[in-house]
Amino acid sequence: MTSPTASTKLIAIIGATGGTGLACVEQSLKAGYRVRVLVRNASAFNAEITNNPNFEMLMGSVTDVDALERLFTGATDIINSLGGKEKNSTICSDSQPVINKALLKINNPSTRLITVTSISVGDNYWYSGKFTRAFASWIIPNAITDKNKQEREIVRSAHSNWCIVRPAGLGDGPVTGKYQIGDATFAPAGSKQIARQDVAHAILANCLSGNDTWLRLPMTVGYPPRFHKSDSLKQVSSTQGTCGGTNVLGCAVTGAGAGALIGGPIGAGIGAVGGFIVGQFAGRRTVTTITKSCQSSTI
């Protein structure tokens, strides 16, 4: 991954003490890049990192525009891998306007902002598998809402040199390079977590300044799914939710039948209402998306 121009790059990293951020720090230093981080805990890194002459650590908060301005000054690339640890955290969407303001203050359009969000965020939601959508909607809805707001702040910003990275569920493990990347229509294997080290590898290999493949686009990254619904440039329209039928009425009928088997007439009524709601929720959505082909990666 090392290139002749590696030493000329300065990568500023937000969220560097988290799993993905730390992986970005480690791999960036290994590639010969200079790395600057903004943290609140000075003891978050081991001696191998802190003793590296290419590593610089600043103390401060991601909601402090002056601290962010110091972090961004001179940076060729910014990797934001923030994630809220608390259930109802809004740190991603709260900090993004401050990040945008700091970018305007340094006034360097060539600085690339790379932000890590998640699958099922934005238009990827309607291409994710049913299990993934259910998990996003019912298990981690607050985190997904926070990331959705964050992405909207990025797109609305006056700073147009950005790309968004949407990994599948994050896990631990070494770099394998056996992941795939794709556009918003790519639905990676949602039941298989992708190693944070592989996410970092995908970022450094595909998103840094000088590589405009994913400029102003979301890049989905994960392990190969059983299928991939993506063609070249087109307008795509997701199908109506099925739930055992082909439309809202089909869902209601299916729900009524299932309810009747369990609870008789009362169960049928409850099932019909539930099926109707599901049909409405999973109903037709039309999404206009500029798509790219799915790509595999190997080390």
Side-chain angles (χ1 to χ4, degrees), residues 186-274:
F186 175 38
S191 60
K192 188 175 182 181
Q193 292 182 320
I194 182 170
R196 294 176 174 88
Q197 291 285 347
D198 269 339
V199 176
H201 183 275
I203 291 171
L204 298 185
N206 298 280
C207 300
L208 296 183
S209 56
N211 184 344
D212 292 343
T213 305
W214 297 99
L215 179 63
R216 293 189 293 278
L217 288 171
M219 183 184 81
T220 308
V221 56
Y223 296 129
R226 287 177 295 178
F227 61 90
H228 174 238
K229 12 179 189 178
S230 176
D231 297 309
S232 57
L233 302 181
K234 66 177 183 178
Q235 177 168 309
V236 290
S237 175
S238 62
T239 58
Q240 288 184 329
T242 56
C243 186
T246 57
N247 50 34
V248 174
L249 178 61
C251 286
V253 171
T254 303
L261 289 175
I262 299 172
I266 296 177
I270 295 173
V273 173

Side-chain angles (χ1 to χ4, degrees), residues 99-108 157-159:
I99 292 171
N100 293 346
K101 185 180 295 186
L103 283 168
L104 291 179
K105 290 186 72 174
I106 66 168
N107 191 27
N108 187 354
S157 170
H159 187 81

